[in-house]
């Protein structure tokens, strides 16, 4: 399998050996994709020094000659959107699991095309004299913040053997032909498909979030003539459904403008707290949020924001547009407004099925408090659309909008009517999803 090119760096220029092995592989797409396991054959070439000494730290290269799957006939994978990682096992005189990682580099991969994965490299320090054998093991393909995990389904033959001698001692070289320069090419894929895509090389981590206090900005909201009410910025966290990020750390501020007996709300979130995991067209990302109403009133309402106005390139900072809606009080007294669940709808191209990513609020606080008077058709005890019309009942806490999307896998599936959507879900697009800003879209570690 890995054919890595070689070069490994030991402490001195030593002959390199490269050997190719193949093995039956089972790849598991993300659970959200709804796809079953995919079986195929992985071919890899491993390159390592033929000889070395105790104390040397050597570099090993794993080259994918053939991945266990092809890109499904559903979507094009953009350039530099797929990242491989894996484990190379050392045994014999020394045992170790060598962590292997490749850069997020790949050509554009067409629908139905061979998966092209970059060469992975890893290092190990040699501690014991004798023969050390290197054998490829499991690997993971990450794309758009989703992982396809591939594991061997049979005993894998050793791909290289290093003759390790005691420091200062002589050494003999063994087998293998030398090969130079690393290349990243996928080779033809056969048998089976495997899903998988990558995190789009992004790191997750919250963006800058401003703290805020748990008590909202109190306002009179009554008859003193005030019409504009500024809320406090509060820290928020979200847990998103795959293929969204596991966690998003952000902040939100709820401001209100009195409009008759109702209030026009504007919700602002932290800006630029994530990076785009892949190229995204204008209009691809549209956010909405549930605002929880508490205090003397109860229920929830929905605010919505515009889609991204400009196209995004990989790595561009992503911010959510201000979300707006209307709060119509359903009770007299003091009402509190808090950020609730977040939803991001992803549309990759005109006419394509939208992919919905629900993110449950796991940390929030009151941003705004208003003195309100009950209005006919108000929110009390209900979930509203944000424009004052009641839709559905709920108990005074926020209702989350869940979604009909399904993620997809890198695996070829032969697709039913929703196959395209599934593939998107994991492959190019769907998951792109949100990281850390309000939704973590490739959160910057600076939330896929």
């Amino acid at each position: 399998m890995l054919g890595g090119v070689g070069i490994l760096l030991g402490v001195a220029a030593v002959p390199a050996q490269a050997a190719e092995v193949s093995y039956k592989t089972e790849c598991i797409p993300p659970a959200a994709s709804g796809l079953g396991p995919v079986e195929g054959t992985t071919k890899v070439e491993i390159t390592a020094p033929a000889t070395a000494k105790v104390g040397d730290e050597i570099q090993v290269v794993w080259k994918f000659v053939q991945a266990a799957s092809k890109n499904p006939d559903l979507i094009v994978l953009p350039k530099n959107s797929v990242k491989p990682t894996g484990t190379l096992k050392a045994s014999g005189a020394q045992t170790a699991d060598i962590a292997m990682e490749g850069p997020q580099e790949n050509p554009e991969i067409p629908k139905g095309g061979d998966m092209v994965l970059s060469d992975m490299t890893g290092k190990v320090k040699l501690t014991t004299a004798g023969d050390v054998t290197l054998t490829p093991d499991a690997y993971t393909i990450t794309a758009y913040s989703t992982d396809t995990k591939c594991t061997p389904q049979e005993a894998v033959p050793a791909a290289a053997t290093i003759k390790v001698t005691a420091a200062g001692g002589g050494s003999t070289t063994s087998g293998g032909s030398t090969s130079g320069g690393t290349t990243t090419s996928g080779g033809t894929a056969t048998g089976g498909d495997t899903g998988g895509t990558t995190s789009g090389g992004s790191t997750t981590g919250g963006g800058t979030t401003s703290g805020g206090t748990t008590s909202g900005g109190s306002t009179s909201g009554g008859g003193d003539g005030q019409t504009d009410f500024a809320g406090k910025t509060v820290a928020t966290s979200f847990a998103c459904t795959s293929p969204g990020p596991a966690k998003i750390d952000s902040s939100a501020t709820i401001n209100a403008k009195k409009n008759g007996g109702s209030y026009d709300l504007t919700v602002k979130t932290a800006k630029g707290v994530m990076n785009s995991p892949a190229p995204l067209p204008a209009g691809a990302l549209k956010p909405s949020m549930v605002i929880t109403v508490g205090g003397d009133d109860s229920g929830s309402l929905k605010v919505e924001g515009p889609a991204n106005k400009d196209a995004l390139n990989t790595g561009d900072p992503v911010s959510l547009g201000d979300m707006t809606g209307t709060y119509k009080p359903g009770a007299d007294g003091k009402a509190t407004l808090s950020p609730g669940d977040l939803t991001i709808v992803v549309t990759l191209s005109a006419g394509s099925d939208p992919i919905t990513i629900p993110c449950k609020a796991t940390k929030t606080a009151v941003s705004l408090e208003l003195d309100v008077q009950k209005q006919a058709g108000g929110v009390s005890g209900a979930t509203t659309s944000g424009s004052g019309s009641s839709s559905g009942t709920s108990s005074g806490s926020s209702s989350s909008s869940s979604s009909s999307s399904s993620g997809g896998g890198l695996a070829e599936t032969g697709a039913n009517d929703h196959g395209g959507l599934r593939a998107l879900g994991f492959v190019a697009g769907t998951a792109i999803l949100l990281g850390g800003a309000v939704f973590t879209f490739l959160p910057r570690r600076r939330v896929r």
Side-chain angles (χ1 to χ4, degrees):
M1 330 202 31
L2 325 24
V5 297
I7 28 206
L8 312 153
L9 308 120
V11 352
V14 295
Q17 56 174 329
E20 179 180 311
V21 296
S22 63
Y23 53 93
K24 293 179 181 179
T25 307
E26 180 180 73
C27 295
I28 308 296
S33 70
L35 301 175
V38 177
E39 295 184 355
T41 299
T42 301
K43 294 182 180 180
V44 181
E45 182 181 286
I46 300 296
T47 302
T51 63
K53 295 180 180 179
V54 171
D56 287 353
E57 183 178 65
I58 62 165
Q59 178 173 289
V60 183
V61 178
W62 166 322
K63 177 185 178 67
F64 284 94
V65 176
Q66 174 180 296
S69 69
K70 290 188 176 184
N71 187 25
D73 293 323
L74 298 169
I75 191 166
V76 174
L77 286 175
K79 180 179 179 180
N80 298 338
S81 62
V82 181
K83 179 181 178 69
T85 53
T87 300
L88 184 68
K89 289 190 171 292
S91 59
Q94 177 179 342
T95 59
D97 287 344
I98 305 172
M100 307 295 290
E101 181 175 358
Q104 188 173 313
E105 296 177 356
N106 60 275
E108 180 179 279
I109 303 175
K111 297 177 183 179
D114 295 331
M115 284 301 300
V116 182
L117 303 175
S118 63
D119 294 350
M120 300 192 294
T121 60
K123 292 182 179 181
V124 62
K125 186 170 184 177
L126 301 173
T127 59
T128 307
D131 288 353
V132 176
T133 58
L134 302 176
T135 305
D137 195 48
Y139 60 93
T140 298
I141 302 170
T142 302
Y144 295 108
S145 302
T146 63
D147 293 335
T148 291
K149 298 182 180 295
C150 301
T151 55
Q153 297 301 296
E154 62 180 342
V156 182
T161 299
I162 305 170
K163 296 285 187 181
V164 182
T165 58
S171 62
T172 60
T173 64
S174 74
S177 58
T178 65
S179 68
T182 63
T183 61
T184 73
S185 67
T188 59
T190 64
D193 1 317
T194 69
T197 57
T198 60
S199 137
S202 57
T203 51
T204 74
T208 61
T209 67
S210 56
T213 64
T214 57
S215 65
S218 69
T219 69
S220 70
D224 62 356
Q226 184 177 358
T227 59
D228 295 314
F229 308 98
K232 293 186 178 182
T233 299
V234 296
T236 56
S237 294
F238 301 90
C240 300
T241 298
S242 178
K247 182 181 180 182
I248 296 167
D249 292 318
S250 184
S251 65
T253 307
I254 302 174
N255 297 321
K257 184 177 182 66
K258 191 171 175 60
N259 183 0
S262 299
Y263 296 84
D264 295 330
L265 304 183
T266 299
V267 180
K268 297 178 178 291
T269 58
K271 305 299 181 184
V273 293
M274 56 195 162
N275 294 329
S276 177
L280 294 174
L285 304 175
K286 184 175 176 62
S288 63
M289 180 182 283
V290 171
I291 301 300
T292 302
V293 181
D296 293 321
D297 201 357
S298 65
S300 60
L301 59 98
K302 182 179 180 181
V303 293
E304 297 181 304
N308 55 302
K309 181 175 64 175
D310 300 317
L312 299 169
N313 295 316
T314 301
D316 283 353
V318 178
S319 299
L320 295 182
D322 293 349
M323 292 173 277
T324 59
T326 301
Y327 165 48
K328 180 180 288 188
D332 295 326
K334 290 187 179 294
T336 59
L337 302 177
S338 306
D341 296 348
L342 171 74
T343 298
I344 307 294
V345 176
V346 181
T347 304
L348 298 178
S349 61
S352 65
D353 291 332
I355 299 156
T356 303
I357 309 212
C359 298
K360 184 174 180 60
T362 56
K363 178 181 180 180
T364 186
V366 173
S367 175
L368 182 63
E369 183 179 87
L370 298 169
D371 288 333
V372 299
Q373 294 180 333
K374 182 177 180 179
Q375 303 296 307
V379 76
S380 190
T383 297
T384 76
S385 66
S387 60
S389 62
S390 173
S391 64
T393 60
S394 88
S395 68
S397 77
S398 69
S399 80
S400 72
S401 71
S402 63
S403 72
S404 65
S405 77
S406 59
L410 254 195
E412 280 185 285
T413 64
N416 55 22
D417 291 343
H418 302 291
L421 181 58
R422 286 197 200 141
L424 284 184
F426 165 21
V427 194
T430 122
I432 329 194
L433 307 145
L434 323 52
V438 60
F439 42 160
T440 278
F441 215 45
L442 304 184
R444 283 183 171 186
R445 217 158 35 212
R446 315 170 195 11
V447 320
R448 56 292 115 303

